[in-house]
Structure formats: C-alpha cells, structure tokens
Amino acid sequence: MSKVAVHAAQPRAGGSAPSTRPGTDPATRRPYDRWKRLLDVVGALLVLTVGAPLFAAVALLVLVTHGRPVLFRHTRPGLYGELFDVVKFRTMRHPDPDRGLVTDAQRLTRVGRWLRASSLDELPEFWNVLRGEMSVVGPRPHLVRYLDLYDAEQARRHEVRPGITGLAQVRGRNALNWTAKFASDVEYVDRRSFLLDLRILLATVRVVLSREGISAPGAATWHEFTGNDQPPAPSAAADRDAAPRR
C-alpha cells in the first residue's frame, strides 16, 4: 500500500508553512465550518469557566498522586498536519526502571485509570479548543510519527481540526482497530454537520458513563499503528516518545 506524508511540521518559530495543505480546495469547505468554530469557542469558554472547580479538584488529585507536573503535554498533528501541543492531566508515573515503572501498564496508576475511564484527563484539551488547535468534535489527534504511515485516504483525517471526541470514539474508542478508526475519521470529514456533531456529543455521554473501549484488547492503552492492516504486537508504551514528560 503506497504511503503519502501529510506536510506536518510547521516549526514553532522561524519556519515556513507547509507547501501543500490538504483540504484547502474550496470544494472541501462547508458553511458549517465557520459556525462550528464559533460553537467551539463558546463551548470551550463555558466549560473552562463553569468547570473551573472541577479542573482545580482534578489538578489537586493528580498533584497528590502523581506529583509534578500536573499536566502532560505532547506534540500532535492537527489541521493540515500542523503541529501543536495537546494538553491533558497526567495519568502515569514518571518512568523509573529501578522501581519497575517502564511500560504503560506499570506506570498507569489507579487514579490514572479512573481519570481515563471518566475522560476527566481530557478536560485541559478545551484550552486547545479555545486556541483553535482542536475542535470539540473531530478525529482524535494521533502521534506525529504516524504521518508518514498514512495512505492518501487516511491522511484526509487532517482536513478538519482534531477533536476531543469523534465518530471513532463513540463507535468503540480504543477497542476499534486502526482500519475502523481511520474509516470513521474520514467518514466524519465527509459528513460533518451540526446534527452529526450533536449526535456524537450525546453518544459520548453514553460511552463515558458506560466506560466502553477505554483500552485496546491486550494493551494498557492502545496498540501501535504500524502502517498496515495486520494486528500489531501490543505496545509497551503507545506514547513512548513522550514518556519522560507524562
């Protein structure tokens, strides 16, 4: 299967924009995209304001159980593959081989599992939404190293902003294989609308309350994407590039 790289990296400073931006063709734009951004800003402001006490409580819990830093930052590709730092609450201890803390399963704490199951670890991403790096609904942002592994169809997931929740998340989250995840992401790109976003948000409440698909079968978090449809070996650390910062 031939691969194409999304032009992903716009350097933090002094760099130039990607030479090609998928999705910039006017035919791929929709009137809803402008309204969607407005709804994202209003929604993010509402959550960040009304949810401030909850943010503070979760931050204190993470500080007590995991220590500093409270937040986990990791570089991910967003709209048109441009890089940004996604922000979450930490759910893992720092790597420490002397204490046997190496793999995701070893580093993930009981509190961290609860934060992931309840999706409370995702709350800081509303700051990414406010900044315009993410949307409330859209394909989840994956690892930068996956960019060179996508085929042309899979790369279309970057034609919209990544989301806190999305079509793949309400269809199974991490329990889905990569083929199904990417198919759902591209389907969202093609079908995006206010009604679809509303349905996804309502379904997200059900998924979070039922705690469906929190981790991939046989993994503490998820399996690595290897660029093909063969089942990959369980990943010891899906975000190992960022392990020291988690």
Side-chain angles (χ1 to χ4, degrees):
M1 182 166 55
S2 62
K3 302 295 174 187
V4 296
V6 176
H7 294 272
Q10 179 175 345
R12 287 290 190 281
S16 58
S19 58
T20 302
R21 288 187 168 191
T24 54
D25 186 333
T28 67
R29 301 174 191 156
R30 300 190 179 186
Y32 173 59
D33 292 343
R34 182 173 297 177
W35 288 105
K36 179 178 173 69
R37 178 60 192 145
L38 177 60
L39 292 172
D40 280 340
V41 171
V42 173
L45 285 173
L46 185 63
V47 171
L48 291 170
T49 303
V50 177
L54 178 60
F55 277 74
V58 174
L60 180 60
L61 178 63
V62 173
L63 179 63
V64 170
T65 57
H66 299 145
R68 297 178 183 274
V70 169
L71 297 176
F72 160 62
R73 301 174 185 271
H74 194 219
T75 302
R76 301 289 173 95
L79 181 64
Y80 311 133
E82 292 182 359
L83 303 186
F84 71 100
D85 286 339
V86 68
V87 186
K88 300 183 182 183
F89 284 119
R90 277 182 61 209
T91 59
M92 293 184 178
R93 298 185 182 94
H94 294 296
D96 188 345
D98 293 336
R99 296 172 57 199
L101 302 177
V102 179
T103 68
D104 280 359
Q106 294 164 341
R107 295 168 51 216
L108 187 61
T109 66
R110 183 176 301 177
V111 169
R113 288 190 179 90
W114 176 75
L115 290 175
R116 288 179 177 229
S118 61
S119 294
L120 290 174
D121 64 316
E122 309 280 357
L123 286 177
E125 291 177 18
F126 281 98
W127 174 246
N128 292 119
V129 173
L130 190 62
R131 287 169 54 90
E133 297 159 335
M134 293 182 66
S135 177
V136 175
V137 180
R140 285 293 298 166
H142 293 313
L143 303 181
V144 175
R145 63 176 175 268
Y146 292 174
L147 288 172
D148 290 334
L149 301 178
Y150 296 147
D151 63 27
E153 185 70 3
Q154 293 166 346
R156 293 190 57 227
R157 68 192 309 277
H158 292 286
E159 292 178 9
V160 297
R161 288 183 178 86
I164 296 177
T165 186
L167 199 55
Q169 281 59 56
V170 300
R171 288 178 171 175
R173 298 174 76 176
N174 288 327
L176 290 181
N177 61 38
W178 285 107
T179 299
K181 285 182 183 180
F182 293 143
S184 295
D185 292 342
V186 174
E187 180 182 343
Y188 176 79
V189 171
D190 291 335
R191 293 180 52 208
R192 65 189 186 277
S193 68
F194 174 75
L195 287 179
L196 180 58
D197 280 4
L198 183 59
R199 292 191 190 104
I200 290 173
L201 289 173
L202 293 176
T204 297
V205 175
R206 174 187 58 78
V207 170
V208 170
L209 292 178
S210 65
R211 301 190 176 187
E212 297 175 0
I214 298 169
S215 59
T221 52
W222 56 13
H223 291 301
E224 192 79 17
F225 175 56
T226 59
N228 58 53
D229 295 328
Q230 299 301 315
S235 172
D239 280 346
R240 62 175 177 265
D241 282 356
R245 301 171 63 191
R246 205 156 194 168

